[in-house]
Amino acid sequence: MTESARPEEDFPDHAPRRGLGPDRPTLVPAIRPLPVRKFADLLPSSEARFGPAPGRGTASTRSGTPVHQASESERREERAHVHTIVRMVGLAAFESLSGIRPVHQLARWLEAGQYEKLRCRVALVAATQPDDGQRLHRNTAIRRTRLCPVAPGAYEASLVVAENDRVRAAALRVERRHGHWSVVELQIG
């Protein structure tokens, strides 16, 4: 059997090939084709986003491999974690506005632009209040929280917050970025 007639599987990683003369075989690495990846396979399929089509069973990609779907317990755990973050950040933001909490404690949880907006608003509120040495302590309490998943790794929430003399609202958008949950939008009414 000649060398060209042998099947490709019989060649080792470095198969001797003839070259550079009759007495000098050279070692040439065997070339094996790499699997072809299509760009469309890298994009999330519409089934993964909207669920399987009616009558198709489980969601799968075009190649037929199943799409990883988070289990119910993982989703509940993530939702509870985000719910805690939303309540904590919302309460801290209202406490910062009332002068009870320093605003820099929220720097870790807020996106840079949102932190800067809140810092400016806290400074404006502090400038309008008289500085008589006594702080008005407001009993800030969260009355209701609504949390809604809007995309994988993104939630929107609304809060109803009661203070001593009034009830206020806040809206937050929380997204997972680089493995860390952060508030990317904060609106306080």
Side-chain angles (χ1 to χ4, degrees):
M1 185 183 261
T2 65
E3 197 172 313
S4 62
R6 276 200 268 168
E8 188 174 298
E9 294 86 358
D10 292 343
F11 285 117
D13 283 339
H14 292 286
R17 302 268 200 256
R18 303 236 187 256
L20 301 178
D23 297 357
R24 302 176 65 192
T26 60
L27 293 178
V28 177
I31 298 173
R32 291 194 173 92
L34 295 174
V36 177
R37 293 178 66 184
K38 297 177 185 174
F39 182 74
D41 293 338
L42 300 175
L43 296 175
S45 68
S46 60
E47 290 179 11
R49 189 169 182 193
F50 301 110
R56 287 216 30 211
T58 62
S60 64
T61 60
R62 291 181 188 169
S63 63
T65 58
V67 173
H68 172 71
Q69 293 181 350
S71 67
E72 187 66 31
S73 63
E74 289 174 350
R75 279 184 265 163
R76 267 189 269 122
E77 184 179 320
E78 179 181 274
R79 187 177 174 97
H81 183 69
V82 172
H83 189 266
T84 303
I85 291 171
V86 164
R87 291 180 64 90
M88 179 190 66
V89 170
L91 184 62
F94 279 102
E95 288 175 349
S96 294
L97 285 172
S98 65
I100 299 169
R101 179 184 298 270
V103 72
H104 68 81
Q105 290 182 358
L106 288 164
R108 179 186 187 280
W109 297 102
L110 295 175
E111 190 180 56
Q114 297 302 313
Y115 172 73
E116 204 49 42
K117 282 174 41 178
L118 182 63
R119 191 186 63 75
C120 290
R121 187 167 175 179
V122 167
L124 288 172
V125 169
T128 60
Q129 292 179 348
D131 189 21
D132 56 359
Q134 296 179 354
R135 287 188 176 175
L136 174 65
H137 181 70
R138 297 181 181 172
N139 293 326
T140 308
I142 297 176
R143 295 290 180 218
R144 178 171 299 267
T145 306
R146 288 270 188 174
L147 188 65
C148 179
V150 292
Y155 289 84
E156 289 186 356
S158 63
L159 299 173
V160 176
V161 180
E163 294 178 336
N164 283 345
D165 52 349
R166 65 188 203 181
V167 176
R168 300 174 73 180
L172 296 92
R173 182 178 174 96
V174 183
E175 292 182 1
R176 185 177 197 115
R177 294 186 176 173
H178 308 293
H180 170 70
W181 291 99
S182 76
V183 177
V184 296
E185 193 66 41
L186 173 65
Q187 297 291 325
I188 296 177

